[in-house]
Amino acid sequence: MKIKQAVYFVLGLLFLGVGIVGTILPGVPTTPCVLASAWFFSKSSKRMENWLLNHKVFGKLIKDWRANGSISKTAKRNAILVIIPTFALSIYFISIAELKILLAIFCVLLCGFLLSRPLPTPLKA
């Protein structure tokens, strides 16, 4: 395995680990980490990429994203329900006004991006 592939593989494992933790702990992002993990595995390990693509929890999420950049209603809702309180708490506890404004802008942009993603198209029988 080349050094670049090894680095991508380790990053894939790292992002997958964070994504798995995110399924249990609120405030830890699952969807972006799993998508990043799939991308890193696509560059380093076809076996791990295929495992993720066929995973019963993560597979559909990755396939939907790759097909048309779509995110399910549930994933959008869960992400926004974590993003808003997390950013609100950060803004509350930070004393620097400029940083508060940047965080608020980023929160709005992030939620807007999620809401702008299309919904997955239903599979035709």
Side-chain angles (χ1 to χ4, degrees):
M1 186 180 277
K2 297 176 186 172
I3 292 175
K4 187 176 181 180
Q5 270 185 303
V7 169
Y8 282 164
F9 185 77
V10 169
L11 287 170
L13 289 175
L14 178 70
F15 276 93
L16 179 59
V18 173
I20 290 170
V21 169
T23 63
I24 301 164
L25 293 178
V28 180
T30 301
T31 301
C33 289
V34 170
L35 292 174
S37 178
W39 186 86
F40 284 120
F41 287 141
S42 77
K43 304 294 182 196
S44 64
S45 171
K46 292 298 175 191
R47 189 173 130 245
M48 287 300 290
E49 180 187 23
N50 287 332
W51 177 79
L52 264 180
L53 287 170
N54 294 307
H55 193 274
K56 68 178 185 176
V57 175
F58 302 133
K60 182 165 176 19
L61 172 107
I62 297 164
K63 289 173 188 172
D64 288 342
W65 179 259
R66 286 183 176 179
N68 60 357
S70 62
I71 302 173
S72 72
K73 276 185 186 179
T74 303
K76 288 181 187 186
R77 182 193 69 229
N78 291 345
I80 290 171
L81 286 174
V82 169
I83 290 167
I84 291 174
T86 302
F87 274 80
L89 282 172
S90 298
I91 291 167
Y92 178 77
F93 285 111
I94 290 173
S95 60
I96 302 167
E98 293 85 356
L99 190 53
K100 288 182 178 209
I101 292 167
L102 285 175
L103 284 172
I105 291 169
F106 186 68
C107 180
V108 169
L109 291 174
L110 184 57
C111 290
F113 173 78
L114 287 171
L115 291 171
S116 73
R117 300 295 84 214
L119 295 174
T121 55
L123 295 174
K124 295 179 182 177

